Amino acid sequence: VASSVQEMTKAQQREEHIKFNVDSASVVDVWEYSKVRQNRFRSERNMYLSLMTLTLSMVLWRLLDLFHNEAKLRDELKNAEPVPQSVEEKKQN
C-alpha cells in the first residue's frame, strides 16, 4: 500500500510540472501529458486496489477468527456435562 501511495504522489507531481497551453502545444507536449495522465490513473487504480485488498483480507481474517471461535465453543458445548435438574429448578425459583 505504501509503495502505491508513493507512486501516486510521484504521478501527481509529474502532472503538476507539465502545464501547457492547448492552442500552442506541440504534438510531443500533448503526448507527454497524455502519458503522465495515464501513469497517474494507473497509480491511483493500483492504490485503490491495494487498499481494497487489504480491507478484504482483514475482513476475511476476522470472519475466520469468528468461525474458529464458534467451532471451539460448539466443541465445548458438546463436551460439557449436563446440568442436574435440581440445579435448574433452583435457578427457576
Side-chain angles (χ1 to χ4, degrees):
V1 176
S3 64
S4 61
V5 172
Q6 285 178 336
E7 188 62 34
M8 187 185 71
T9 305
K10 288 179 187 177
Q12 287 175 342
Q13 289 172 351
R14 280 186 230 122
E15 185 176 357
E16 289 172 2
H17 288 296
I18 299 178
K19 295 190 181 196
F20 60 89
N21 186 355
V22 176
D23 297 330
S24 64
S26 68
V27 175
V28 175
D29 291 338
V30 174
W31 179 262
E32 286 295 319
Y33 186 70
S34 174
K35 294 294 280 182
V36 168
R37 295 285 309 258
Q38 288 174 9
N39 288 336
R40 180 178 176 187
F41 171 78
R42 288 185 183 119
S43 64
E44 287 177 354
R45 179 200 61 195
N46 290 344
M47 183 192 69
Y48 290 125
L49 287 173
S50 297
L51 289 174
M52 285 189 295
T53 302
L54 178 65
T55 303
L56 181 62
S57 65
M58 293 172 77
V59 168
L60 289 175
W61 175 79
R62 182 64 181 142
L63 282 173
L64 287 174
D65 188 41
L66 289 172
F67 289 147
H68 176 72
N69 288 341
E70 180 187 11
K72 188 168 62 171
L73 290 173
R74 285 182 189 262
D75 286 342
E76 287 178 12
L77 187 60
K78 283 181 185 177
N79 297 332
E81 295 180 16
V83 178
Q85 283 188 345
S86 60
V87 175
E88 287 181 12
E89 290 173 1
K90 288 179 185 178
K91 286 184 179 180
Q92 290 177 357
N93 294 330

